[in-house]
Amino acid sequence: MAATAPLEERLHEQYEDLDQQRQSYNAGFWVFLASEVMFFGVLFLSYAICRIWFADAFRVVGQEPDQKMGTLNTLVLLTSSLTMALAVRAAKLRREFPMLLLLLATAVLGSVFLGIKFYEWWVDIQHYHLPGAAFQWTKPGATPREAEMFFFLYFAMTGVHALHLSIGVLVVLGTIVMYLLGHPSVRRAASPVEMLGLYWHFVDIVWVFLYPMFYLIPPLR
Amino acid sequence: MNSAMNSAEPVPSVRSLVLTYAALVALLALTYAGAQVHLGPSGSTLANNLLAFLVGLAKAVLVVVFFMEFRTATKVSKLWFAVGLVWFALMATILTDYLTSRWDYRPRTWAPVSYPRAVVGSDPNGGPPTPTIDDGQNLGRN
């Protein structure tokens, strides 16, 4: 267990001091997040084009995803962002035990989100809503091709988001294990947990937009 | 106590983080409640869409500013945040093509197309015949 005191943060030779080192890590991670904006950006723009082209059809097909499930999942993910932000704070203050507990809570909440998401996908697949040869759509107001386009975007975007979240959960668990094993790279500095926090919050922000895009499409009234 | 105490690294207060979370949950409740009722004039979904988008934007701003500690980030980190936004804005210019060009060569079954079609020899002034666009998607329907 993490019984020993935290190790001193090590200054690498290319940096003037620890602050410059931390700030460089932070800036480097924002570079990665900027590239992630482009990664998700193409999907968001594809959605924008289809939402405008097939506006009437999306108002009909958009009623299919379960609004309550999506809202519950948003709440779960926002809560996980709070536990992650508190974990980063604990890491900065070198409070090891709260940090480990909060990281664990974050991983558990992330897993709950994924569980709910997998259940939703399973229900969608049961209803033949997975795009491909088996896709079926018979309701009026949208053609099968338009409905398939909606569900393609739905599965692609929530899928890529869930992939990011799965990676996040694995890295959080990996960080906890490395910490318990006393690995110096996580025990010397708060930076790894800070980076993890930035990643987690970014994935949270992506979902904050996916939620109204797929669950809150207003029907024509 | 330890090295973190004499470090210049800013640490957010528990209070600010919990308040941010409370605001996020309140916004979630607002956007969910807003989706249950029809806003604005009948036949228009603009007001509902606008509310959903603006609440999403507000949530994102809260997460960036307080959870990602944007306020205390260095200028270089802030610059890279801006770079992400600029890249997205540049990518979004692709909409100028999709929303202005004639994209009626997508399969006809996807959506009704109301553009006037060019017809061979339709020029009333007897000019050269206007070619039809054969894009391979008409499948003999013209």
Side-chain angles (χ1 to χ4, degrees):
Chain A
M1 281 296 289
T4 48
L7 303 173
E8 279 298 304
E9 191 166 352
R10 194 167 54 196
L11 179 67
H12 294 279
E13 62 190 29
Q14 66 269 39
Y15 298 108
E16 301 272 334
D17 52 45
L18 286 175
D19 273 339
Q20 191 198 34
Q21 177 169 292
R22 289 178 197 136
Q23 288 163 3
S24 303
Y25 291 167
N26 188 274
F29 207 84
W30 278 99
V31 176
F32 166 68
L33 291 185
S35 78
E36 285 278 81
V37 168
M38 289 203 287
F39 181 87
F40 279 100
V42 283
L43 290 167
F44 277 95
L45 290 172
S46 308
Y47 176 91
I49 290 163
C50 289
R51 179 84 182 262
I52 294 165
W53 268 0
F54 315 126
D56 295 332
F58 269 38
R59 286 188 191 115
V60 175
V61 192
Q63 308 309 313
E64 290 296 310
D66 191 334
Q67 214 171 62
K68 288 192 172 61
M69 287 288 193
T71 309
L72 176 66
N73 246 356
T74 311
L75 185 64
V76 169
L77 208 56
L78 290 176
T79 311
S80 78
S81 257
L82 173 69
T83 57
M84 179 52 101
L86 290 170
V88 170
R89 181 179 186 276
K92 282 183 175 178
L93 295 172
R94 299 298 176 86
R95 293 176 186 160
E96 297 190 325
F97 190 63
M99 183 198 80
L100 290 173
L101 272 187
L102 287 162
L103 282 178
L104 190 64
T106 307
V108 168
L109 287 166
S111 306
V112 169
F113 176 95
L114 288 170
I116 294 173
K117 197 72 226 132
F118 288 145
Y119 171 74
E120 278 184 75
W121 284 338
W122 184 77
V123 171
D124 290 327
I125 293 168
Q126 299 296 306
H127 288 100
Y128 302 100
H129 286 161
L130 182 68
F135 184 83
Q136 281 182 24
W137 180 263
T138 50
K139 293 182 185 172
T143 66
R145 294 297 292 274
E146 290 166 336
E148 196 170 10
M149 207 58 225
F150 175 86
F151 277 105
F152 168 73
L153 288 167
Y154 169 77
F155 276 99
M157 296 187 79
T158 60
V160 167
H161 174 266
L163 180 67
H164 273 77
L165 197 66
S166 310
I167 293 168
V169 169
L170 288 178
V171 178
V172 168
L173 291 175
T175 305
I176 295 172
V177 170
M178 280 170 77
Y179 211 98
L180 293 177
L181 293 176
H183 199 285
S185 67
V186 288
R187 296 208 55 226
R188 278 185 191 279
S191 288
V193 179
E194 280 176 50
M195 310 289 104
L196 199 46
L198 288 177
Y199 177 81
W200 196 272
H201 299 313
F202 174 82
V203 176
D204 187 19
I205 289 173
V206 171
W207 180 261
V208 155
F209 286 109
L210 293 186
Y211 167 61
M213 281 162 56
F214 290 111
Y215 294 90
L216 300 182
I217 298 180
L220 206 53
R221 284 186 277 218
Chain B
M1 182 171 115
N2 54 43
S3 60
M5 300 306 267
N6 48 37
S7 157
E9 198 173 25
V11 178
S13 70
V14 174
R15 185 186 150 82
S16 79
L17 296 178
V18 171
L19 281 179
T20 304
Y21 174 68
L24 287 169
V25 173
L27 284 171
L28 174 63
L30 172 67
T31 190
Y32 180 76
Q36 308 309 313
V37 292
H38 182 81
L39 306 169
S42 177
S44 163
T45 52
L46 180 68
N48 279 90
N49 281 326
L50 212 57
L51 176 76
F53 175 73
L54 290 178
V55 168
L57 202 62
K59 280 194 269 188
V61 168
L62 283 176
V63 171
V64 169
V65 171
F66 293 102
F67 282 174
M68 297 174 93
E69 299 173 34
F70 187 74
R71 284 180 309 168
T72 51
T74 60
K75 282 178 180 157
V76 182
S77 294
K78 286 177 179 172
L79 179 69
W80 276 102
F81 172 79
V83 165
L85 293 186
V86 169
W87 276 343
F88 183 70
L90 287 178
M91 282 202 300
T93 58
I94 197 170
L95 292 174
T96 58
D97 181 29
Y98 277 95
L99 302 181
T100 56
S101 305
R102 275 180 60 141
W103 276 83
D104 58 344
Y105 50 80
R106 63 188 187 270
R108 288 289 188 78
T109 48
W110 285 27
V113 177
S114 57
Y115 299 110
R117 300 289 294 179
V119 179
V120 177
S122 63
D123 191 338
N125 301 320
T130 320
T132 51
I133 301 165
D134 184 8
D135 48 54
Q137 299 282 2
N138 288 327
L139 306 174
R141 272 192 290 264
N142 257 4

